[in-house]
Amino acid sequence: MGRNGRVETMSHETPARDRPLTTALAEAAATAGHAPSVHNSQPWRWRVLPDALELGVVRDPRLTATDPEGRLVAYSCGAALHHARVALTAEGWTAVVERMPDPDAPDLLARLTGLGRVEADPEAMRLVQCMQVRHTDRRPVSDEPVPTDALGRIAAAVAAEGCQLQFLDRDNILELAAVASHAATVEAEDSQLREELEYWTSRGGSGTGLPPEVLPEEAPQTTVPARDFGRPGTLPVGPGHDRAAVYGLLYGDEDEPDSWLRAGEALSAAWLTATRLGVSVVPLSGVVEVAGTRQTLRGLLAGLGYPYLVLRLGIADPAHAGPPHTPRLEVRQVVDTSAVRAGGA
Ligand SMILES: Cc1cc2nc3c(=O)[nH]c(=O)nc-3n(C[C@H](O)[C@H](O)[C@H](O)COP(=O)(O)O)c2cc1C
């Protein structure tokens, strides 16, 4: 991986098929660094073992008010887990995924074991390419409608991960707008939450957080209010209004830590598929951070399941450049290979 965590074209002398398992595991973990995360906190930590890859979580105290239960952090780690799974598939590896494998170690979120050789998967290779270009574009989307076929394929990608994506009709969108606005008011009145936002939007040079270039210079005109980051950024938003945006509610059957991990895997699957189809995605998590508004969202699902996240989908403005990529931690900060390096430690 190069600067900013972007994967650069690899110039390995050894063909991918002949590379040792531990190299493949370390590379998959490094590739997973492209995953989206709440406030770009990158809460995942990987451990490469001789025949397994472990995903752990670091719980940053600066997310306590935003994410008291750890659901957003679990979504983020789930997204990284999906990225790593796809990266292994692309290189021709199968793996058995154990989620929350040790009840006595709740911060060990997943273990990939039973690694075996299969044919490299070209579809997975394309998704790995999508990891490198996927990003959050908070500008209003263009007037171009999202093709129905694309929406169907994104929903199918979610379903393949054991979750569901429900697209909202006009009435439900207006209700969502009211709920999001209420959540924003609740959050703006919470001083600890404001301090956390302040922290994540002033991390310059640390490899985490949100730099001003990715935050809108003024509140974009959107039907459903976007997150107010508490300070303007430098990203020009233009005069557009995202009338053509589609809103989807990601949901599932349970509301437990292991289902949050799966929700993150589904988020990643949806976002990578969307990227492949030229569809921009922005998660709106404020509405699920506030317990009361999360409950109202449950009503929108009419008892079908538990809401995980709201996604805004649309076609990004093609005429103006979007935001740059957000920075990433260095690979050595998130991938521990000490157990497989010559000499151990
Ligand atoms: C669980 C989760 C919740 C998020 N919530 C929001 C949100 O409410 N508003 C927003 O603008 N971006 C949100 N994001 C996007 C992240 O800020 C973004 O993924 C991160 O800054 C990394 O940037 P990138 O997606 O451009 O790589 C969320 C991402 C995740 C994974």
Side-chain angles (χ1 to χ4, degrees):
M1 230 153 71
R3 279 182 62 238
N4 296 336
R6 303 290 148 208
V7 168
E8 285 154 4
T9 313
M10 289 184 242
S11 58
H12 295 283
E13 311 227 322
T14 320
R17 277 206 72 79
D18 301 332
R19 257 179 268 145
L21 170 61
T22 50
T23 306
L25 295 175
E27 284 182 4
T31 302
H34 292 295
S37 58
V38 55
H39 298 341
N40 196 27
S41 52
Q42 301 158 66
W44 46 76
R45 295 296 178 269
W46 297 94
R47 197 157 156 250
V48 181
L49 298 171
D51 55 0
L53 180 62
E54 288 185 342
L55 168 62
V57 56
V58 281
R59 302 192 188 276
D60 194 306
R62 267 74 49 112
L63 285 170
T64 310
T66 312
D67 186 28
E69 301 170 294
R71 77 170 49 232
L72 300 183
V73 159
Y75 298 162
S76 307
C77 289
L81 174 59
H82 181 262
H83 273 49
R85 283 173 42 210
V86 173
L88 284 171
T89 309
E91 291 281 314
W93 292 97
T94 54
V96 176
V97 183
E98 297 170 68
R99 294 173 183 81
M100 318 296 291
D102 184 351
D104 294 328
D107 287 352
L108 176 61
L109 300 185
R111 185 182 288 134
L112 284 79
T113 57
L115 286 125
R117 269 301 191 188
V118 286
E119 284 298 307
D121 181 334
E123 177 58 27
M125 286 181 199
R126 271 182 224 109
L127 291 183
V128 169
Q129 286 166 354
C130 291
M131 291 173 196
Q132 294 159 45
V133 290
R134 184 214 56 79
H135 65 289
T136 309
D137 185 343
R138 299 178 178 84
R139 298 174 301 159
V141 296
S142 71
D143 290 334
E144 194 184 330
V146 183
T148 312
D149 171 60
L151 292 176
R153 287 170 69 180
I154 294 165
V158 167
E161 296 298 324
C163 295
Q164 305 296 325
L165 186 61
Q166 175 171 310
F167 297 114
L168 303 184
D169 64 21
R170 187 76 205 153
D171 286 349
N172 281 346
I173 292 175
L174 293 178
E175 195 171 340
L176 172 65
V179 172
S181 165
H182 178 62
T185 308
V186 171
E187 295 206 317
E189 286 167 358
D190 184 327
S191 59
Q192 192 188 343
L193 212 137
R194 285 203 311 271
E195 274 168 33
E196 290 181 2
L197 261 185
E198 161 76 26
Y199 172 82
W200 292 107
T201 53
S202 54
R203 301 285 298 129
S206 70
T208 60
L210 297 147
E213 302 81 51
V214 303
L215 298 180
E217 63 183 6
E218 59 187 302
Q221 298 189 61
T222 53
T223 314
V224 177
R227 184 191 282 280
D228 177 1
F229 284 92
R231 63 166 72 191
T234 56
L235 175 66
V237 290
H241 186 299
D242 62 355
R243 273 180 215 93
V246 173
Y247 289 89
L249 188 46
L250 180 69
Y251 71 95
D253 294 338
E254 284 170 23
D255 204 22
E256 301 296 330
D258 62 336
S259 39
W260 301 340
L261 197 62
R262 284 187 180 275
E265 293 174 76
L267 168 67
S268 166
W271 208 335
L272 294 177
T273 305
T275 304
R276 176 132 193 250
L277 300 170
V279 176
S280 151
V281 174
V282 178
L284 302 178
S285 53
V287 276
V288 295
E289 288 157 21
V290 176
T293 52
R294 193 168 66 245
Q295 198 56 33
T296 314
L297 281 189
R298 244 200 116 182
L300 284 186
L301 289 171
L304 279 179
Y306 294 90
Y308 297 142
L309 206 52
V310 171
L311 305 182
R312 184 199 76 173
L313 300 106
I315 308 294
D317 174 0
H320 301 93
H325 286 287
T326 50
R328 288 295 190 270
L329 291 166
E330 287 178 36
V331 173
R332 61 176 176 77
Q333 294 176 281
V334 288
V335 184
D336 176 3
T337 54
S338 58
V340 295
R341 276 203 300 266

